[in-house]
Amino acid sequence: MTCGRLTWIRSSSCPRPPSLEAPSTPSPCGRSFSAWRCRGICPSSWLSPQSTYCQHIGLEFMFINDVEQCQWIRQKFETPGVMQFSSEEKRRLLARLVRSMRFEDFLARKWSSEKRFGLEGCEVMIPALKTIIDKSSEMGIENVILGMPHRGRLNVLANVIRKDLEQIFCQFDPKLEAADEGSGDVKYHLGMYHERINRVTNRNITLSLVANPSHLEAVDPVVQGKTKAEQFYRGDAQGKKVMSILVHGDAAFAGQGVVYETFHLSDLPSYTTNGTVHVVVNNQIGFTTDPRMARSSPYPTDVARVVNAPIFHVNADDPEAVIYVCSVAAEWRNTFNKDVVVDLVCYRRRGHNEMDEPMFTQPLMYKQIHKQVPVLKRYADKLIAEDTVTLQEFEEEIAKYDRICEEAYGRSKDKKILHIKHWLDSPWPGFFTVDGEPKSMTCPTTGIPEDVLTHIGNVASSVPLEDFKIHTGLSRILWGRADMTKKREVDWALAEYMAFGSLLKEGIHVRLSGQDVERGTFSHRHHVLHDQEVDRRTCVPMNHLWPDQAPYTVCNSSLSEYGVLGFELGYAMASPNALVLWEAQFGDFHNTAQCIIDQFISTGQAKWVRHNGIVLLLPHGMEGMGPEHSSARPERFLQMSNDDSDAYPAFSEDFEVRQLYDCNWIVVNCSTPANYFHVLRRQILLPFRKPLIIFTPKSLLRHPKAKSSFDQMISGTSFQRVIPEDGVAARAPEQVRRLIFCTGKVYYDLVKERSNQCLDDQVAITRLEQISPFPFDLIKREAEKYPGAELVWCQEEHKNMGYYDYINPRFMTILKRTRPIWYVGRDPAAAPATGNRNAHLVSLKKFLDTAFNLKAFEGKTF
């Protein structure tokens, strides 16, 4: 039966959630409810104008342009008698509702003044999720990865994931001491990983609830990336073993753009998870904002229409209708490998949190809610009336779960220390130990044998497939690679090729994702070759290096930063034995994904004890390309680095690796292809995982001086945190009048200008390759080597940007404030770069002149 956009299906009972609409209308079953208007609360009219009975399931699928799929949905809902449940199924549903509701009641009694973001008003979500998991397990799913916002998270942890109740309850104890594992997070943000037997199917099931910040939908792409990785490592190309479930709020689902970005990844070959079940907790209000002010679409779920996902609207006060819809949703996902949305139309019995007063802003709605009979009582009365259960059995079920909660509460008082590691959502068993002992804290050498370098170079400069016609321009690039290999040298692209290829030989999966990464924004990479005469025939030479190598995945992404970076972060969570890289088209564009960087990458280990080795490649450099194609904003990453600028370090043999272990992420700006090669390999060879931020070059990709010899990459070599001066000045340090420290591309400008001014013996130039954690030991050594030299920090960025505010206090600490380090660079500015080529060159000449004016700082004090 059709009403507006929806097809309405009759259910067996007639409860109905309250609406914002004031007038009340009696239903044919005798219960009172308000008619729903298309732009009022949610569906066009809960009471269909063409019928005389209450409708509790609304279907949106007529926009799906596939006859088979539409017929499948019709059969599931329009076949007479399909929504029949056995007594055992009804009793199980009742027991799950008891656990869901009594858990919230228990928390409310014990901690009435604590925020917990309870599920009251949508308690049916717990049996809904369990039904999806049960049905999926029945069809062969072994691993379910969930993402959700804070509302109902504690209930899901307790009754879906089956987290020990005492560990949940002890989170409310204000006297609980935190273990020395990080800063931690509030209890309704935490995640969990658990392997158990599914009691309905008697099969093993692994459940992972991914930790999420208060940014409600930020976890969506993270879950999808983790799911994709789990499918990849299991060889589950069709998603028959691993699946994802995402829980949303109605306001966030309609309002947050990352939802749209994530949906648009759902059918892309390198990003698809073969269908996700989306469950929307549609309590018809966003904090204090009603839907008429929160969205322009009729329904909060309309975003799902863009990928032809069927949308099932269901009354959350009708548990049997909910369970049936969730079962169909799981079947849909398994049958068609496509997304599906279950819209639980419900209400929020309390305010946004338990301390909030909703009557301030929704007085009529909450008057109606206060009259609403809880779903548990309503459903229990129904089952008692039809003799499915007795009142005594119902009361015994309640008493049983209350007793479980009380016993767990008693045990929780014995907890004295909060261990964040107990809430880890992505454990890596065996990674941090060898034969049961902790791994050695060493910084390994990262060079490789020369024959391996040569072999990779030869493959990189050839086409492995026969009768494959490449572009003539690409032929010149491949010839250039072959020539460099013969000369035992590499440019930036070939160094990257050798880093990736050598890791593949060692069994490390490499995945590179981002906009235009297959070719490279600057046409330097060309990891995917395209046949010029056969449509869509491609070749990835990197996958033809060795017969038993690990696979290499390189994939152009959709034009998204937020969604794709979140996806790759989730992918990197699944295994430590993979190098997962995300490259921005230009470094400037990473700020569109700032939420993922701030809430997950920078702070993930501190909040959730979650190690992650994701690599961000951010093209950066002032080259007159304008304010949006110049700066990856290094100052922002450095500001979020957790090393202490004022603490004088205690140096030891393992100082370098200890610094890396203690930091929240690593920030580098390499000036040579060899160092880029080494830092990529070090990322995998370290005995732990940290995010790695690399400011990559643009003009240096083809700079004739930006090449490295095989001698800097062979066995025994490693990453250089600082590259000291190795020219004339280094041989007579006592005659050096100025020591310039710098990082990245500006080094080549400085070397050229020094040569032009014939100051090679008076000015030394030292490159800071690893900026954070700050290499205090090597900087100290360099400064002491040139005791009579004036110290200068030179950068091409503006003074209020770049690195100076980060390095200055650290130089002062290591030098014990005995010598100043003067700033040379562009003046402070609002925009990161000029859009005028001439202005760019004028400012470049100005600060280069200052850098080599040996009298520039005479008479100045610090």
Side-chain angles (χ1 to χ4, degrees), residues 257-284:
V258 70
V259 175
Y260 186 86
E261 292 187 34
T262 306
F263 265 117
H264 272 284
L265 297 176
S266 66
D267 203 29
L268 302 182
S270 297
Y271 301 88
T272 181
T273 57
N274 301 286
T276 297
V277 180
H278 300 264
V279 178
V280 178
V281 178
N282 183 0
N283 55 36
Q284 309 173 66

Coordinates of all heavy atoms in Angstrom, one line a residue, residues 257-284:
G257 N 28.3 15.7 6.7 CA 28.7 15.4 5.3 C 29.5 14.1 5.2 O 29.5 13.5 4.1
V258 N 30.1 13.7 6.3 CA 30.9 12.5 6.2 C 30.1 11.3 5.9 O 30.5 10.3 5.4 CB 31.8 12.3 7.5 CG1 30.9 11.9 8.7 CG2 32.9 11.3 7.2
V259 N 28.8 11.4 6.3 CA 27.8 10.3 6.0 C 27.7 10.1 4.5 O 27.8 9.0 3.9 CB 26.5 10.5 6.6 CG1 25.5 9.5 6.2 CG2 26.5 10.6 8.1
Y260 N 27.6 11.2 3.8 CA 27.5 11.2 2.3 C 28.8 10.7 1.7 O 28.8 9.8 0.8 CB 27.2 12.6 1.8 CG 26.9 12.7 0.3 CD1 25.6 12.5 -0.2 CD2 27.9 13.1 -0.5 CE1 25.4 12.6 -1.5 CE2 27.7 13.2 -1.9 CZ 26.4 13.0 -2.4 OH 26.2 13.1 -3.7
E261 N 29.9 11.2 2.2 CA 31.2 10.7 1.7 C 31.4 9.2 1.9 O 31.9 8.5 1.0 CB 32.4 11.5 2.4 CG 32.5 12.9 2.1 CD 33.7 13.6 2.7 OE1 34.7 12.9 2.8 OE2 33.6 14.8 3.1
T262 N 31.0 8.7 3.0 CA 31.1 7.3 3.3 C 30.2 6.4 2.4 O 30.6 5.4 1.9 CB 30.8 7.0 4.8 OG1 31.7 7.8 5.6 CG2 31.1 5.5 5.1
F263 N 29.0 6.9 2.2 CA 28.1 6.2 1.3 C 28.7 6.1 -0.1 O 28.6 5.0 -0.8 CB 26.7 6.9 1.2 CG 25.7 6.3 2.1 CD1 25.2 7.1 3.1 CD2 25.3 5.0 2.0 CE1 24.2 6.6 4.0 CE2 24.3 4.5 2.9 CZ 23.8 5.3 3.9
H264 N 29.4 7.1 -0.5 CA 29.9 7.1 -1.9 C 31.2 6.3 -2.0 O 31.7 6.1 -3.1 CB 30.2 8.5 -2.4 CG 29.0 9.1 -3.0 ND1 28.6 8.8 -4.3 CD2 28.1 10.0 -2.6 CE1 27.5 9.4 -4.6 NE2 27.2 10.2 -3.6
L265 N 31.7 5.7 -0.9 CA 32.8 4.7 -1.0 C 32.2 3.3 -1.1 O 32.9 2.4 -1.4 CB 33.6 4.8 0.3 CG 34.4 6.1 0.5 CD1 35.1 6.0 1.9 CD2 35.4 6.4 -0.6
S266 N 30.9 3.2 -0.9 CA 30.3 1.8 -0.7 C 30.4 0.9 -1.9 O 30.4 -0.3 -1.7 CB 28.9 2.0 -0.2 OG 28.1 2.5 -1.2
D267 N 30.5 1.5 -3.1 CA 30.5 0.6 -4.3 C 31.7 0.8 -5.1 O 31.8 0.4 -6.3 CB 29.2 0.9 -5.1 CG 28.9 -0.3 -6.0 OD1 29.2 -1.4 -5.6 OD2 28.3 -0.1 -7.1
L268 N 32.8 1.5 -4.5 CA 34.0 1.6 -5.3 C 34.9 0.4 -5.0 O 35.0 -0.1 -3.9 CB 34.8 2.9 -4.8 CG 34.0 4.2 -4.9 CD1 34.9 5.4 -4.4 CD2 33.5 4.4 -6.3
P269 N 35.5 -0.1 -6.1 CA 36.2 -1.4 -6.0 C 37.2 -1.5 -4.8 O 37.3 -2.6 -4.2 CB 36.9 -1.6 -7.3 CG 36.1 -0.8 -8.3 CD 35.5 0.4 -7.5
S270 N 38.0 -0.5 -4.6 CA 39.0 -0.6 -3.6 C 38.5 -0.2 -2.2 O 39.3 -0.1 -1.2 CB 40.2 0.3 -4.0 OG 40.8 -0.2 -5.2
Y271 N 37.3 0.2 -2.1 CA 36.7 0.7 -0.8 C 35.5 -0.1 -0.4 O 35.0 0.1 0.8 CB 36.4 2.2 -0.9 CG 37.6 3.0 -1.2 CD1 38.0 3.2 -2.6 CD2 38.5 3.5 -0.3 CE1 39.1 4.0 -2.9 CE2 39.6 4.2 -0.6 CZ 39.9 4.5 -1.9 OH 41.0 5.2 -2.2
T272 N 34.8 -0.8 -1.3 CA 33.6 -1.5 -0.9 C 33.8 -2.5 0.2 O 34.8 -3.2 0.2 CB 32.9 -2.1 -2.1 OG1 31.7 -2.7 -1.7 CG2 33.8 -3.2 -2.7
T273 N 32.8 -2.5 1.1 CA 32.8 -3.6 2.1 C 31.6 -4.6 1.9 O 31.2 -5.3 2.7 CB 32.6 -3.0 3.5 OG1 31.4 -2.2 3.6 CG2 33.8 -2.1 3.9
N274 N 31.1 -4.5 0.6 CA 30.1 -5.5 0.2 C 28.8 -5.3 1.0 O 28.1 -6.3 1.3 CB 30.6 -6.9 0.3 CG 31.8 -7.1 -0.6 OD1 31.7 -7.2 -1.8 ND2 32.9 -7.2 0.0
G275 N 28.5 -4.1 1.4 CA 27.2 -3.8 2.0 C 27.4 -3.6 3.5 O 28.1 -4.3 4.2
T276 N 26.7 -2.5 4.0 CA 26.7 -2.2 5.4 C 25.2 -2.1 5.9 O 24.4 -1.6 5.1 CB 27.4 -0.9 5.7 OG1 28.8 -1.0 5.3 CG2 27.3 -0.5 7.2
V277 N 24.9 -2.6 7.1 CA 23.6 -2.4 7.6 C 23.7 -1.1 8.5 O 24.4 -1.0 9.5 CB 23.1 -3.6 8.5 CG1 21.8 -3.3 9.1 CG2 23.1 -4.8 7.6
H278 N 22.9 -0.1 8.1 CA 22.8 1.2 8.9 C 21.5 1.1 9.7 O 20.4 0.9 9.2 CB 22.7 2.3 7.9 CG 23.9 2.5 7.0 ND1 25.0 3.3 7.3 CD2 24.2 1.9 5.8 CE1 25.9 3.2 6.3 NE2 25.4 2.3 5.4
V279 N 21.7 1.4 11.0 CA 20.6 1.5 11.9 C 20.5 2.9 12.4 O 21.4 3.4 13.1 CB 20.7 0.5 13.1 CG1 19.6 0.7 14.1 CG2 20.8 -0.9 12.6
V280 N 19.4 3.6 12.1 CA 19.2 5.0 12.5 C 18.3 5.1 13.8 O 17.2 4.6 13.7 CB 18.6 5.9 11.4 CG1 18.4 7.3 11.9 CG2 19.5 5.8 10.2
V281 N 18.8 5.6 14.9 CA 18.0 5.8 16.1 C 17.4 7.2 15.9 O 17.9 8.2 16.2 CB 18.9 5.8 17.3 CG1 18.1 6.1 18.6 CG2 19.6 4.4 17.5
N282 N 16.2 7.1 15.3 CA 15.4 8.3 14.9 C 14.5 8.8 16.1 O 13.3 8.5 16.1 CB 14.6 8.0 13.7 CG 13.9 9.3 13.1 OD1 14.0 10.4 13.7 ND2 13.2 9.1 12.1
N283 N 15.1 9.5 17.0 CA 14.3 10.0 18.2 C 13.7 11.3 17.9 O 13.2 12.0 18.8 CB 15.1 10.0 19.5 CG 16.4 10.7 19.4 OD1 16.5 11.8 18.7 ND2 17.5 10.3 20.0
Q284 N 13.8 11.8 16.6 CA 13.0 12.9 16.2 C 13.4 14.2 16.8 O 12.7 15.2 16.9 CB 11.5 12.7 16.4 CG 11.0 11.4 15.9 CD 9.6 11.1 16.3 OE1 8.7 11.8 15.8 NE2 9.4 10.1 17.1

